[in-house]
Amino acid sequence: MSDVKDNKFQKAYFFKRVLAYLIDIILVSIVATLIALPFRTESVDKVDNQILEVTQKALQGKIKTETYTTQLNELAYQKAKLDGISNIIIILISVLNFIVYQGITKGQTIGKKLLKIKIVKINGNELTFNDLIFRNLLNNFIFFDILLAVFALIGRKPYIYGYRSINIVETILLIVSVFMIAIRKDGRSVMDLLTNTMVVKVEEK
């Protein structure tokens, strides 16, 4: 009988999973930003400033939500088209952290190591790279990032339609997963159920 089935492992606390994820996202963002810095252009900085201005206007009520959404979609496309190298770097760093590194450490990212939690197979089998690929392509939105990068290469309309649709799907997945982690006794999210995994505490040795 496996340790998981024998309840030797305890589910990871909700706040630990959230904090571990935030740590990982921040680290990925910092590393990707530093690597992409030499490739950043003034055009990208200009678009970033425009996004900030449009967002401030929306928050101040100076423009309608519909106008804000339209302008933001257009600016997002412009940035994706201009900043393709940065997008590729973010995808690669995400894959290295959430799939490669987590596979080498048998279920732990840097964030999970710091919070002393890990991913395990609930049936007691060993966690594989295939499990992590399937789990993290959607769980950490890597697949959606890849899709958006492809749409940006295809053209404006595919990108904007894809951007809108993906934002909706990401939001739904995030809300459902957070809800499941918070209320389920085993703390399993959508991707945990699909991959037969569970995030558990790491016992102190």
Side-chain angles (χ1 to χ4, degrees), residues 41-54:
T41 64
E42 290 183 7
S43 298
V44 175
D45 291 332
K46 183 178 179 181
V47 173
D48 278 340
N49 290 333
Q50 289 175 326
I51 291 173
L52 183 60
E53 288 174 9
V54 169

Side-chain angles (χ1 to χ4, degrees), residues 50-72 75:
Q50 289 175 326
I51 291 173
L52 183 60
E53 288 174 9
V54 169
T55 302
Q56 288 176 339
K57 287 180 180 179
L59 292 173
Q60 294 168 359
K62 293 180 179 179
I63 57 175
K64 295 180 180 179
T65 302
E66 185 178 348
T67 303
Y68 167 69
T69 302
T70 301
Q71 292 183 6
L72 186 64
L75 290 169

Side-chain angles (χ1 to χ4, degrees), residues 110-123:
I110 294 173
K112 287 186 176 71
K113 272 184 173 292
L114 292 174
L115 273 297
K116 294 182 172 55
I117 60 177
K118 68 177 181 178
I119 302 170
V120 296
K121 293 286 288 185
I122 202 166
N123 59 9

